[in-house]
């Protein structure tokens, strides 16, 4: 329920912990009218949530999306650090969704860039590879999600996939930072 999403986001903001986030989008770039953030996920050491944002199946009204968006903005600005895997991709979408000023208010980190600094082998930068390398977990084998056309997946399946990405990104950031 939208109220539960907002409540969870507000709780994460009060926790004031580093967060990892992941978005699933309907396109690679956010500039066409049909491009949108379909689902989002956020993980901290206390909780991990994945939720529809503008997914076609969500049925959320414009006001509902705005209340989630407001809670997200508060969380991202208050978190000590906001971690993404391939942060330039996520930040481009967030800049379009929340405005460029928003990007300067949040502290950002990128596990893909960390991984490159630690190990420059070709092919060693995907979240799936890094999950296997650091945790022995082939992340992409846990779900069968079509990442090219995300909304062809059932919303529940996409949310599980999305949530796993945020959780592994957080754990990866913590491990690589050490």
């Amino acid at each position: 329920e939208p109220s539960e999403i907002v409540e969870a986001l507000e709780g994460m903001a009060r926790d004031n912990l580093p967060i990892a986030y992941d978005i699933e989008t309907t396109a690679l770039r956010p500039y066409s009218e049909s491009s949108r953030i379909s689902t989002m996920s956020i993980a901290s050491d206390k909780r991990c949530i994945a939720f529809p944002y503008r997914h076609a199946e969500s049925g959320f009204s414009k006001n509902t999306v705005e209340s989630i968006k407001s809670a997200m903005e508060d969380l991202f600005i208050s978190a000590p650090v906001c971690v993404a895997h391939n942060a330039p991709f996520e930040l481009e979408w967030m800049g379009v969704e929340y405005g460029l000023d928003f990007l300067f208010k949040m502290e950002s980190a990128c596990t893909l860039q960390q991984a490159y600094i630690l190990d420059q082998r070709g092919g060693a930068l995907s979240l799936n590879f890094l999950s296997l390398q650091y945790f022995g977990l082939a992340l992409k084998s846990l779900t069968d999600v079509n990442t090219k056309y995300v909304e062809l997946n059932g919303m529940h399946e996409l949310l599980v996939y999305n949530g796993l990405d945020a959780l592994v990104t957080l754990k990866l950031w913590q491990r690589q930072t050490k």
Side-chain angles (χ1 to χ4, degrees), residues 8-128:
L9 294 170
E10 289 171 347
M12 292 179 99
R14 284 190 301 274
D15 293 342
N16 198 35
L17 294 170
I19 60 168
Y21 67 101
D22 185 63
I23 59 174
E24 297 303 327
T25 63
T26 59
L28 290 176
R29 304 296 298 275
Y31 304 108
S32 73
E33 281 194 34
S34 62
S35 300
R36 67 182 181 281
I37 297 172
S38 182
T39 63
M40 297 180 139
S41 62
I42 303 170
S44 73
D45 278 335
K46 281 189 151 182
R47 57 184 114 196
C48 178
I49 62 170
F51 53 93
Y53 189 66
R54 297 183 190 273
H55 192 286
E57 290 179 33
S58 73
F60 288 169
S61 69
K62 186 176 181 178
N63 287 341
T64 297
V65 172
E66 286 303 315
S67 66
I68 293 170
K69 186 176 174 178
S70 177
M72 284 287 300
E73 190 171 0
D74 291 345
L75 170 59
F76 275 70
I77 291 170
S78 68
V81 64
C82 303
V83 182
H85 190 76
N86 192 9
F89 173 85
E90 313 282 330
L91 291 171
E92 180 180 22
W93 279 88
M94 300 301 264
V96 169
E97 185 70 16
Y98 295 98
L100 294 179
D101 289 342
F102 167 78
L103 298 179
F104 293 105
K105 295 177 184 174
M106 63 184 278
E107 185 66 34
S108 188
C110 180
T111 54
L112 187 144
Q113 292 170 355
Q114 264 184 334
Y116 180 77
I117 291 167
L118 295 171
D119 183 354
Q120 290 140 15
R121 289 180 291 168
L125 300 177
S126 75
L127 190 57
N128 188 58

Side-chain angles (χ1 to χ4, degrees), residues 135-152:
F135 310 116
L137 175 68
L139 185 60
K140 301 306 176 196
S141 70
L142 300 176
T143 62
D144 190 28
V145 168
N146 179 338
T147 57
K148 188 171 183 179
Y149 303 105
V150 296
E151 291 198 0
L152 292 180

